[in-house]
Amino acid sequence: MPKALMIQGTSSNAGKSLIVTALCRIMRRNGINVAPFKAQNMSLQSFITKDGGEIGLAQAIQAFAAKVEPDIYMNPVLLKASGEQGSQVIVHGKVYKTMKPKEYYSEREKLWKAVTYSLDYLKTKHELLIIEGAGSPAEINLIEHDIVNMAVAEYLNAPVIIVGDIDRGGVFASIYGTVKLLKFHETLIKGFIINKFRGDFDILVPGIKEIENLINKPCIGIIPYLKNAGISAEDGFSLTSSINNQISLLTGTIKIVVLRLRYISNFSDFDPLKIEPDVELIYSLRKEDLLNADIIIIPGSKKTIEDLKLIKELGVDELLRKLSKNRTEIIGICGGFQMLGKKLIDPHKVESSLKEIDGIGLLPVETIFHPYKITTQVEGYVNSKPSITIKGYEIHMGETSGEINLFHIKRLATGESIFDGATRENIWGTYIHGIFENDSFRRLIINKHRVKKGLKPVEFISSWQKIKEDFIEKLADNIASSLSMERIWRLIGI
């Protein structure tokens, strides 16, 4: 029977995703056919699988670490917060319905069947599952509705390691409280990890010995605080200004501002821009930042119309129209592309209570929203420069018409060939997420602004894929050296 190991946390953001990513790579290095799993993820960071299914981005990164293809069964339930409407619930890669918490909990049995079906499927394909929990497993008001923490561990009889975040304080109390509140599942808990430690490890020794005695569970390891962890946060609340800190002999900086929307989604789209030594990237809606930008990007949004209304309330739309005349490059990705058009029409009230709203009006297109969602990987090329090839993925509820001619792409989920995106002078938009992961295209955009500033274009092209792979390798090294791998091998029985 396939083996399993589960990583749970005393809280959200304790470091579960990173640890699972590292363990997937460590196991793969040892020749084990391993796969990640998270029964239920709540995130606006998503990824599209080859067959067109939508899963959490973290599970896709974990699959890359395991060197297996991301699969809808690795994250059978994905929740995407939709404001007052509740959350859009995605089951096995496709939209199920939008529900508020009470409605969601009432469908526990149906969702649990999706979880167990996924686990049973993955067990037939892999030797080992590394499973990530969600939030805290000890939310005693929600345990009866659980489909992601101890319910999964019990179903697989999987050993559980609890991760505590010492950086937020109270780590010993949180570990003790978590274990004791899970008294009916305590036998499954086999140890704990202290994460994000800064300072002298010796200082922790007395506390570790005492907590080991109190809960009768061993410490599996102490992981130091890892700067620049490299995996985007699950939500947008932790976004901060990110000036590239690479040491560079390049002169000049290209300033890029991503609009910090209220419902920003898939902001991982812009992580590749951070690796460029001549780029300064910030998230902002401040007038001063926009006035000093070389490039302004309107990102994707889970609530496009609501975020468009925000842009208008702040006067950002008017500022963008003025800046467009000053040759500032303005880019729209997915929902941002829709906002740049003349009009957004929502006859079925998919997006909001408004049936129609004027866009910013910088592109000769308009969008109509439909109840169905388009999810597919794509590949193709820049229509005016066939030598520049691109890959990415679409995730959107809406179709845009007008002067669509920027990219020529093939939708891999359906096989259809279409045109995507629109451009007008220094303004352009596209539905393609991950567009800046294409190294030659990313450097083309940056070099255009170097030349505009009288600087020499940079010939060297950074490899985003290599940087991701190097990060995973380094992460695996750090985690392996911080944990008692001998204990972990014994737990999984391999």
Side-chain angles (χ1 to χ4, degrees):
M1 180 170 175
K3 306 292 184 179
L5 175 68
M6 189 164 195
I7 306 297
Q8 297 185 13
T10 57
S11 65
S12 297
N13 298 315
K16 300 183 293 290
S17 294
L18 282 173
I19 293 170
V20 170
T21 301
L23 288 173
C24 282
R25 176 52 57 92
I26 292 165
M27 300 304 165
R28 179 61 185 172
R29 284 175 178 173
N30 284 273
I32 298 169
N33 177 2
V34 61
F37 181 81
K38 186 168 185 174
Q40 170 199 292
N41 198 348
M42 175 170 268
S43 178
L44 292 181
Q45 294 267 61
S46 58
F47 176 85
I48 302 302
T49 63
K50 279 190 174 179
D51 59 358
E54 187 174 5
I55 64 172
L57 176 64
Q59 280 61 66
I61 294 171
Q62 290 160 358
F64 297 145
K67 297 190 177 182
V68 295
E69 189 66 35
D71 192 307
I72 58 170
Y73 300 110
M74 295 172 183
N75 176 212
V77 181
L78 174 63
L79 308 179
K80 304 187 79 171
S82 301
E84 293 180 1
Q85 292 176 289
S87 293
Q88 184 183 76
V89 181
I90 295 161
V91 179
H92 285 150
K94 298 300 179 185
V95 175
Y96 175 52
K97 60 175 75 172
T98 297
M99 292 187 279
K100 293 186 177 181
K102 282 188 178 180
E103 298 172 273
Y104 180 77
Y105 296 143
S106 71
E107 300 218 22
R108 193 265 182 194
E109 292 308 313
K110 185 177 291 186
L111 297 170
W112 178 241
K113 285 181 181 178
V115 170
T116 56
Y117 181 91
S118 299
L119 286 168
D120 292 344
Y121 172 82
L122 291 174
K123 285 191 297 183
T124 68
K125 302 293 182 180
H126 304 280
E127 297 174 78
L128 173 66
L129 301 181
I130 305 292
I131 303 161
E132 180 182 343
S136 163
E139 302 290 353
I140 54 178
N141 57 316
L142 300 177
I143 284 178
E144 64 180 305
H145 306 295
D146 176 37
I147 63 168
V148 64
N149 287 309
M150 281 302 176
V152 173
E154 282 194 326
Y155 184 78
L156 294 175
N157 194 30
V160 174
I161 299 174
I162 301 290
V163 181
D165 176 2
I166 197 170
D167 196 51
R168 67 174 66 204
V171 71
F172 294 121
S174 62
I175 290 171
Y176 179 85
T178 298
V179 172
K180 293 305 178 183
L181 285 172
L182 293 172
K183 57 186 176 181
F184 298 114
H185 312 279
E186 197 172 335
T187 56
L188 287 172
I189 301 172
K190 303 301 181 182
F192 65 91
I193 293 169
I194 293 178
N195 192 24
K196 305 183 191 177
F197 180 70
R198 311 174 196 239
D200 185 350
F201 285 5
D202 291 341
I203 295 172
L204 278 182
V205 171
I208 288 173
K209 287 182 177 178
E210 186 164 350
I211 197 71
E212 286 180 326
N213 290 330
L214 285 169
I215 63 174
N216 195 29
K217 311 287 179 185
C219 178
I220 306 292
I222 304 168
I223 301 173
Y225 190 94
L226 302 175
K227 293 181 180 179
N228 302 317
I231 293 180
S232 294
E234 289 292 339
D235 53 49
F237 300 117
S238 63
L239 290 176
T240 57
S241 298
S242 178
I243 299 175
N244 194 297
N245 59 6
Q246 296 182 43
I247 297 174
S248 172
L249 298 177
L250 292 176
T251 58
T253 299
I254 307 306
K255 296 181 179 179
I256 302 177
V257 177
V258 179
L259 296 192
R260 193 184 181 106
L261 302 180
R262 185 174 293 151
Y263 297 100
I264 186 172
S265 64
N266 281 73
F267 47 85
S268 57
D269 283 342
F270 314 112
D271 287 348
L273 295 168
K274 297 178 184 178
I275 70 172
E276 299 296 346
D278 52 345
V279 165
E280 175 187 341
L281 177 73
I282 67 171
Y283 292 82
S284 178
L285 287 168
R286 295 175 66 245
K287 180 179 179 180
E288 295 81 1
D289 293 325
L290 298 175
L291 287 172
N292 290 314
D294 297 299
I295 301 172
I296 297 171
I297 303 175
I298 310 177
S301 169
K302 187 64 190 70
K303 302 274 287 181
T304 302
I305 290 177
E306 290 301 314
D307 274 331
L308 176 58
K309 286 163 63 179
L310 173 68
I311 286 173
K312 291 183 173 185
E313 287 168 10
L314 297 175
V316 172
D317 61 326
E318 186 60 36
L319 183 57
L320 291 177
R321 286 190 283 268
K322 289 179 181 177
L323 289 172
S324 70
K325 296 173 183 176
N326 296 336
R327 310 301 297 169
T328 301
E329 184 167 6
I330 300 173
I331 301 169
I333 306 295
C334 196
F337 172 35
Q338 295 170 339
M339 293 183 208
L340 284 174
K342 296 177 179 179
K343 199 173 290 292
L344 292 79
I345 303 164
D346 191 6
H348 305 286
K349 296 186 178 180
V350 171
E351 273 280 328
S352 75
S353 58
L354 293 177
K355 285 196 171 184
E356 188 175 302
I357 187 172
D358 289 335
I360 298 170
L362 291 175
L363 287 177
V365 299
E366 64 178 40
T367 297
I368 183 166
F369 291 100
H370 302 291
Y372 58 85
K373 194 172 194 178
I374 295 171
T375 57
T376 180
Q377 290 187 13
V378 303
E379 59 184 30
Y381 56 86
V382 182
N383 210 23
S384 60
K385 298 179 183 290
S387 61
I388 305 287
T389 58
I390 54 154
K391 292 182 179 181
Y393 49 96
E394 294 180 65
I395 317 171
H396 56 96
M397 297 182 82
E399 294 188 71
T400 300
S401 60
E403 297 179 24
I404 306 296
N405 55 12
L406 181 54
F407 300 110
H408 191 275
I409 61 170
K410 180 179 180 181
R411 286 176 167 167
L412 301 188
T414 62
E416 61 184 318
S417 292
I418 62 168
F419 289 104
D420 167 84
T423 183
R424 176 181 279 179
E425 298 178 337
N426 49 308
I427 320 295
W428 61 274
T430 177
Y431 274 119
I432 303 173
H433 290 287
I435 189 72
F436 297 114
E437 293 186 19
N438 296 281
D439 301 326
S440 296
F441 180 79
R442 182 176 68 252
R443 183 36 66 179
L444 175 73
I445 297 296
I446 298 167
N447 276 345
K448 180 172 64 174
H449 287 275
R450 292 187 63 82
V451 171
K452 184 178 173 181
K453 288 186 168 187
L455 302 168
K456 288 184 178 181
V458 174
E459 299 301 326
F460 173 77
I461 296 177
S462 305
S463 169
W464 175 241
Q465 294 304 321
K466 183 179 185 304
I467 286 169
K468 284 202 303 184
E469 178 65 17
D470 288 348
F471 160 73
I472 291 171
E473 284 290 319
K474 185 177 179 182
L475 175 68
D477 288 342
N478 285 332
I479 299 298
S481 65
S482 301
L483 302 184
S484 170
M485 290 306 301
E486 184 179 343
R487 286 183 184 270
I488 289 176
W489 290 121
R490 285 204 301 267
L491 284 177
I492 61 178
I494 293 179

